[in-house]
Amino acid sequence: MNRRDFFGASAALTLGAAVAPTSSAFATQTTEETDKRAEAKLRICSQLGPAPGNSLEEKLEKAKKYGCDAIEYGGECIGKGAELRKKAEDAGLEVSVICWGSHGGDLCSEDVSKRQPGIDDLKRALETAGELHANGVIYVPAFNGQTKLTNQEIRQLLMEFMPDLAKFARDCNTNIILEPLCRMEAYFLRQVADGASIARDVLRAAGIDSGIGVMGDFYHMDTEETSQMGAFISAGSLLKHVHLAGGVEQPRRTFPGENSMTFVDGFRGLKYIGYNKFMSFECGCAGRDKEEAFKNSIQFLRDQWAEA
Amino acid sequence: MNRRDFFGASAALTLGAAVAPTSSAFATQTTEETDKRAEAKLRICSQLGPAPGNSLEEKLEKAKKYGCDAIEYGGECIGKGAELRKKAEDAGLEVSVICWGSHGGDLCSEDVSKRQPGIDDLKRALETAGELHANGVIYVPAFNGQTKLTNQEIRQLLMEFMPDLAKFARDCNTNIILEPLCRMEAYFLRQVADGASIARDVLRAAGIDSGIGVMGDFYHMDTEETSQMGAFISAGSLLKHVHLAGGVEQPRRTFPGENSMTFVDGFRGLKYIGYNKFMSFECGCAGRDKEEAFKNSIQFLRDQWAEA
């Protein structure tokens, strides 16, 4: 490839919308979505833990003050959708997602009797997400040690109960969001492309086009992915959420910018797919002044986004 | 992102070399390689099966005549490296790789006694690959039914014996090439990003920077990947080979262009990573005239490459 061809190729890469090929029935999500991809936006959010402040109200106020557009609630919000949406709105924030978790791995337990209660509780979380106008409920099939099922058995089981759950989520105007984790926390579902393929298969099985997706967490991705950009492009329009944290290098999993990990490669992928949903802090703080670290990290992320 | 930002972002995406950020110790392969990525080239190759002709010599001659740059041998070449390299050279072709397979799944068998003979035979294949000046030996850990080990056990086992094997491959100036397959053929290792992460982990464990990589087969990728482009970017410099075939739509797994599957999205990924190794036909023929189909498919691929 000579210099001219190089630019020619990149122009095509950029202008995918203009040259998007005919998709086959099994074409990729990304290709199918190329025509309609949105304009990418950096919309920062925070979980309550990393947000500075000593009360919910103070955390919401400071998140807004330093540039967040949304807040991410944890499982404590279930059943309090209207109340907590109002609190966020009063602070000028949206609610991004509910960080729910695995429910002890019950939905994918080898103990069949545990599964339905887990499914029922996930439905309650999805209902609350709908009330919060949140984009989804983060779901982890199983942390290490929570199930005796093998990867193959877990995937098969997900394909059994997820299509109905995804329809339920869609009817709540929200999504189940599969979260890939690093091997230290979960062996099943470690890469974004794997989560995307599960979500795609569930959507096909259910005959719907929303209700389940995948997320990427920069901390976990630092261990499991060979390319942050490739991972996000693999997710494409199935990417519903992003968690922000530095990588495994010390100081580990702290505010972006507190260790040397770069976000530029991943942000290029997010720009390419037109990502306009939220990116939320899920991290610790290496510095002594959390408020200063929070503020600095948002500026760092804006600089990285501009560079991407 | 407004229109101007969109082009700005895409320029950065294109010109990764100019804006590549500082890499952390755990940074992605792709980011690390961005500075030194090569110029992408479409270099077509064929296995002996899809090549038209009734003898080895005729197949080599026709492959060359219709525009191939290399030939891919199968396991029958083991021990005949010098002889078969000369035959390829006489026809004006290089040898891309040896398509070896799983050796009955022996290297990852639950029967420990089967493993070492499998490893020894893979070493013989790697030696022959060195004699052929081939880029690698395609290796499948296990087809469905060939091992009772779980995914997690297979991955752990690979991490035990692969570092030494990768060093052996490097000393032969070649590579072990992991091949992800679709679920109908193998449950372990179905996505390119997964294979890339295994290769990366093996290289780190061995303390070397070549000797093992991954490949992508468009047919298998059609089932397992949500984005051909994302998959290839995830592989980055670890991508050592590509197999060419149409997707699962009918006529299934035939010459590219014989069904409606597009290669443009994947080719964009290959251009982005500067792929300059071979892409080899491993496919059937839907048409009656294989020679005509072979010729037409090469033209189709050139057109798709130009469009990407």
Side-chain angles (χ1 to χ4, degrees):
Chain A
M1 194 159 65
N2 62 30
R3 204 67 201 160
R4 197 167 66 94
D5 287 340
F6 180 70
F7 282 96
S10 57
L13 183 65
T14 301
L15 300 171
V19 297
T22 309
S23 299
S24 78
F26 285 81
T28 66
Q29 289 287 336
T30 302
T31 303
E32 284 172 354
E33 296 295 328
T34 302
D35 277 340
K36 49 182 172 175
R37 67 183 169 192
E39 292 183 356
K41 285 180 191 161
L42 177 65
R43 297 170 76 201
I44 297 174
C45 168
S46 184
Q47 292 188 347
L48 290 174
N54 295 310
S55 66
L56 173 60
E57 289 73 12
E58 198 183 349
K59 284 172 180 286
L60 294 170
E61 180 226 315
K62 296 208 178 202
K64 177 69 181 177
K65 174 181 172 186
Y66 293 119
C68 287
D69 294 310
I71 199 79
E72 174 179 332
Y73 287 127
E76 74 285 351
C77 75
I78 312 298
K80 303 180 195 163
E83 174 195 341
L84 288 174
R85 174 159 65 107
K86 182 161 188 321
K87 283 202 188 281
E89 281 177 354
D90 287 349
L93 296 170
E94 294 182 50
V95 180
S96 60
V97 302
I98 301 172
C99 191
W100 192 68
S102 73
H103 203 274
D106 290 345
L107 292 80
C108 295
S109 175
E110 75 281 2
D111 179 349
V112 178
S113 71
K114 290 185 174 175
R115 295 178 190 167
Q116 193 59 47
I119 289 172
D120 292 342
D121 280 4
L122 179 50
K123 284 183 174 176
R124 299 296 83 72
L126 290 164
E127 286 169 342
T128 299
E131 292 161 15
L132 289 165
H133 298 187
N135 196 34
V137 173
I138 297 174
Y139 169 60
V140 173
F143 287 91
N144 287 330
Q146 290 187 331
T147 180
K148 292 193 169 65
L149 301 188
T150 65
N151 276 21
Q152 192 161 2
E153 289 165 339
I154 297 172
R155 198 185 202 282
Q156 190 175 339
L157 183 56
L158 289 175
M159 291 305 299
E160 287 172 18
F161 70 77
M162 276 286 163
D164 280 348
L165 263 180
K167 282 183 195 166
F168 187 90
R170 184 201 54 174
D171 291 344
C172 296
N173 290 312
T174 193
N175 296 280
I176 300 157
I177 304 178
L178 297 167
E179 181 172 21
L181 302 174
C182 68
R183 61 194 75 177
M184 294 79 91
E185 298 189 23
Y187 186 74
F188 180 78
L189 190 47
R190 295 178 293 110
Q191 292 193 308
V192 174
D194 192 20
S197 79
I198 294 169
R200 187 247 343 241
D201 291 354
V202 168
L203 290 172
R204 283 181 183 166
I208 54 179
D209 60 8
S210 73
I212 183 168
V214 68
M215 62 172 289
D217 178 311
F218 275 94
Y219 164 73
H220 296 295
M221 292 167 73
D222 193 35
T223 297
E224 299 301 340
E225 306 290 352
T226 50
S227 166
Q228 313 271 23
M229 179 179 169
F232 285 134
I233 292 177
S234 287
S237 64
L238 293 165
L239 191 74
K240 304 298 182 192
H241 196 56
V242 170
H243 273 169
L244 295 164
V248 296
E249 205 179 315
Q250 294 300 334
R252 175 177 174 151
R253 203 174 188 177
T254 49
F255 279 115
E258 288 194 315
N259 73 18
S260 69
M261 194 177 86
T262 174
F263 290 70
V264 172
D265 185 66
F267 283 179
R268 282 184 197 154
L270 294 174
K271 283 187 172 179
Y272 185 73
I273 63 172
Y275 185 73
N276 63 5
K277 299 175 187 73
F278 294 106
M279 297 186 225
S280 186
F281 289 118
E282 180 186 67
C283 56
C285 177
R288 289 187 181 182
D289 184 339
K290 190 162 88 169
E291 191 157 343
E292 189 69 13
F294 189 80
K295 187 173 71 170
N296 290 343
S297 189
I298 290 175
Q299 187 57 53
F300 170 79
L301 291 165
R302 286 178 175 157
D303 293 344
Q304 296 264 294
W305 184 260
E307 190 181 336
Chain B
M1 192 159 67
N2 61 33
R3 204 67 199 161
R4 198 167 64 96
D5 288 340
F6 180 70
F7 283 96
S10 57
L13 183 67
T14 300
L15 300 171
V19 297
T22 310
S23 297
S24 79
F26 285 81
T28 65
Q29 289 287 337
T30 301
T31 303
E32 285 171 354
E33 296 294 330
T34 302
D35 276 340
K36 48 182 173 177
R37 64 184 172 193
E39 292 182 354
K41 285 180 192 162
L42 176 65
R43 298 169 77 202
I44 296 174
C45 168
S46 183
Q47 292 188 345
L48 290 174
N54 295 310
S55 66
L56 173 60
E57 288 72 13
E58 197 183 350
K59 284 171 181 286
L60 293 171
E61 181 226 313
K62 296 208 177 195
K64 176 69 180 177
K65 173 181 173 186
Y66 293 118
C68 288
D69 295 309
I71 198 80
E72 174 178 332
Y73 287 126
E76 74 287 350
C77 74
I78 312 296
K80 301 181 197 162
E83 174 195 341
L84 287 173
R85 174 160 65 107
K86 182 163 189 316
K87 283 200 188 283
E89 281 177 355
D90 287 349
L93 297 171
E94 293 182 53
V95 179
S96 62
V97 302
I98 300 172
C99 191
W100 192 66
S102 74
H103 203 273
D106 290 344
L107 292 79
C108 296
S109 175
E110 74 283 1
D111 179 348
V112 178
S113 71
K114 289 185 176 176
R115 294 178 191 168
Q116 193 58 47
I119 289 172
D120 292 341
D121 279 3
L122 179 49
K123 284 184 174 174
R124 297 297 84 72
L126 290 164
E127 286 169 341
T128 298
E131 292 162 12
L132 289 165
H133 298 186
N135 195 34
V137 173
I138 297 174
Y139 169 61
V140 173
F143 287 91
N144 287 329
Q146 290 187 330
T147 180
K148 293 192 168 65
L149 301 187
T150 65
N151 276 20
Q152 193 161 1
E153 290 165 338
I154 296 172
R155 198 185 202 280
Q156 190 175 339
L157 182 57
L158 289 175
M159 290 305 298
E160 287 171 19
F161 70 78
M162 276 286 166
D164 280 347
L165 262 180
K167 283 182 196 168
F168 187 91
R170 185 202 52 174
D171 292 343
C172 295
N173 291 313
T174 194
N175 296 279
I176 300 158
I177 304 178
L178 297 166
E179 181 172 21
L181 302 174
C182 68
R183 63 195 72 177
M184 293 79 91
E185 298 188 24
Y187 185 75
F188 179 79
L189 190 47
R190 294 177 293 110
Q191 292 192 309
V192 173
D194 192 19
S197 79
I198 295 169
R200 186 235 1 227
D201 291 353
V202 168
L203 290 173
R204 283 181 181 165
I208 53 178
D209 61 8
S210 73
I212 183 167
V214 67
M215 63 171 288
D217 179 310
F218 275 94
Y219 164 73
H220 296 295
M221 293 168 72
D222 193 35
T223 297
E224 300 301 339
E225 307 289 352
T226 51
S227 166
Q228 313 271 22
M229 180 181 168
F232 284 134
I233 291 177
S234 288
S237 65
L238 292 166
L239 191 73
K240 305 297 183 193
H241 196 56
V242 169
H243 273 168
L244 294 164
V248 296
E249 205 178 316
Q250 294 298 336
R252 175 177 175 150
R253 204 175 189 177
T254 48
F255 279 115
E258 287 194 315
N259 74 16
S260 69
M261 193 177 88
T262 173
F263 290 71
V264 172
D265 184 66
F267 282 178
R268 283 184 195 153
L270 295 175
K271 284 187 173 180
Y272 185 73
I273 63 172
Y275 185 74
N276 63 5
K277 298 174 188 74
F278 294 105
M279 297 186 224
S280 186
F281 289 118
E282 180 186 68
C283 57
C285 176
R288 289 188 181 182
D289 183 339
K290 190 162 86 166
E291 191 156 342
E292 190 70 12
F294 188 81
K295 187 172 71 169
N296 290 344
S297 189
I298 290 175
Q299 187 56 52
F300 169 79
L301 291 166
R302 286 178 175 157
D303 293 344
Q304 296 264 293
W305 185 259
E307 189 181 336

